[in-house]
Amino acid sequence: MARSAILNVMVQAAMKAGRSLARDFGEVQNLQVSLKGPGDYVSQADRKAEEIIYTELSRARPGYSFLMEERGAVEGEDDQHRWIVDPLDGTTNFLHGLPIFSISIALERQGQLVAGVIYNPAMDELYTAERGGGAFLNDRRLRVAARSKLSDAVIGTGIPHLGRGHHGNYLVELRNVMGETAGVRRLGSAALDLAYVAAGRMDGFWEEPLSPWDVAAGILMIREAGGFVSDKQGGNNMLENGTIVAGNELIHRALLKTLKKPVTSR
Ligand code: IPD
Ligand code: CA
Ligand code: CA
């Protein structure tokens, strides 16, 4: 598979940061048993990965703007291009030695997502997508799953936790989705969840609240794999309002409908 120059830049940055995260992940597994735990070590690993990505991308395309989880917004001379980066998505998993975490890098051109990379260093799985060029897992072209009924579908989600999200509203949504589907999964890395929907491993996904760096690359990935992504209202403001619903056309539509239902008695 031939990649464009810009996608190559993104892949190089993600793989380099991925090697750094993979080394640190090995150490985190050792630190689990220490009294202090691996907390500080993980924040350092996160910042180190972000630094690598920032350096690589700035060197390859000087002047592009950034939106990064740790560094925040960095205005470049070129306001037509913006990198949206999560250097470590799935921090809680990483901290606990669970090998489900990723690096997510997206490129926006004039406000439109044009390229995305999601990399899971622990499994060496590299997801790439370019607008109009399809989505890939390593060299394999991706297609969303074809299941048409919610009753056959496995749906991913993010469960709000201490200090995050509206727990009562979420429980109503979960209750409705669990009553209509073949199963619900909570993997702990929203970027990977979306990559898995693109790869047909999960039939759909919903979560809120999420940040732009959690979802930017994944949105393009799913669309390029033939899937549908919207916010909870069915609109295209996922980066602005932090809600997301995804699947193939039918599952996406059915999931949107189920999420709007009031609580059922079952
Ligand atoms: C988190 C992960 C998680 C999602 C959270 C995110 P982080 O990102 O994507 O799956 O449920 O809402 O904040 O903090 O690990 O980068
Ligand atoms: Ca994240
Ligand atoms: Ca993060």
Side-chain angles (χ1 to χ4, degrees):
M1 181 198 69
R3 289 190 190 116
S4 73
I6 197 78
L7 198 58
N8 263 326
V9 163
M10 296 164 74
V11 167
Q12 291 317 316
M15 302 281 277
K16 192 164 179 192
R19 286 193 289 277
S20 170
L21 281 184
R23 276 194 301 274
D24 288 337
F25 185 63
E27 188 54 30
V28 161
Q29 288 171 309
N30 297 331
L31 289 171
Q32 291 306 335
V33 290
S34 73
L35 210 54
K36 198 165 148 260
D40 292 348
Y41 193 83
V42 170
S43 329
Q44 258 183 48
D46 195 353
R47 280 198 299 271
K48 220 193 304 173
E50 191 173 283
E51 195 56 41
I52 291 171
I53 296 167
Y54 183 73
T55 306
E56 290 290 309
L57 297 180
S58 321
R59 188 184 305 146
R61 293 292 184 278
Y64 280 21
S65 301
F66 281 88
L67 177 63
M68 309 187 94
E69 180 166 19
E70 309 303 327
R71 212 176 268 251
V74 181
E75 298 296 328
E77 289 151 27
D78 181 343
D79 60 1
Q80 302 294 297
H81 289 94
R82 180 169 77 145
W83 302 110
I84 305 178
V85 179
D86 193 341
L88 171 55
D89 185 58
T91 322
T92 306
N93 284 346
F94 190 93
L95 180 73
H96 286 259
L98 290 165
I100 307 173
F101 56 89
S102 61
I103 289 163
S104 176
I105 305 177
L107 177 63
E108 251 183 9
R109 181 173 296 134
Q110 296 172 332
Q112 193 167 58
L113 293 166
V114 291
V117 169
I118 297 169
Y119 180 52
N120 176 351
M123 295 181 190
D124 196 23
E125 285 193 338
L126 177 71
Y127 297 84
T128 55
E130 256 185 298
R131 193 175 155 77
F136 294 83
L137 163 52
N138 297 328
D139 285 337
R140 182 167 64 84
R141 180 99 193 226
L142 296 181
R143 198 64 216 154
V144 290
R147 286 181 197 87
S148 57
K149 293 197 293 253
L150 268 191
S151 55
D152 295 328
V154 167
I155 304 295
T157 185
I159 303 177
H161 47 84
L162 186 66
R164 279 284 293 273
H166 192 298
H167 296 196
N169 289 352
Y170 179 78
L171 285 173
V172 173
E173 291 177 356
L174 179 62
R175 186 177 175 136
N176 286 329
V177 174
M178 66 197 256
E180 293 182 16
T181 58
V184 177
R185 299 287 181 272
R186 199 296 188 240
L187 301 182
S189 162
L192 269 188
D193 285 312
L194 296 173
Y196 284 8
V197 172
R201 291 177 176 174
M202 296 199 295
D203 300 285
F205 178 74
W206 95 98
E207 182 169 357
E208 74 174 286
L210 286 171
S211 301
W213 45 81
D214 298 317
V215 295
I219 291 170
L220 185 68
M221 206 72 64
I222 292 180
R223 289 185 171 155
E224 287 299 322
F228 281 62
V229 188
S230 72
D231 57 29
K232 256 174 78 179
Q233 284 72 48
N236 197 29
N237 299 314
M238 297 78 73
L239 300 196
E240 291 75 23
N241 68 28
T243 72
I244 194 161
V245 181
N248 68 25
E249 185 176 7
L250 296 172
I251 297 292
H252 171 256
R253 194 187 304 147
L255 197 52
L256 270 179
K257 202 166 148 204
T258 297
L259 290 171
K260 288 202 181 99
K261 284 186 184 167
V263 70
T264 54
S265 54
R266 188 169 162 266

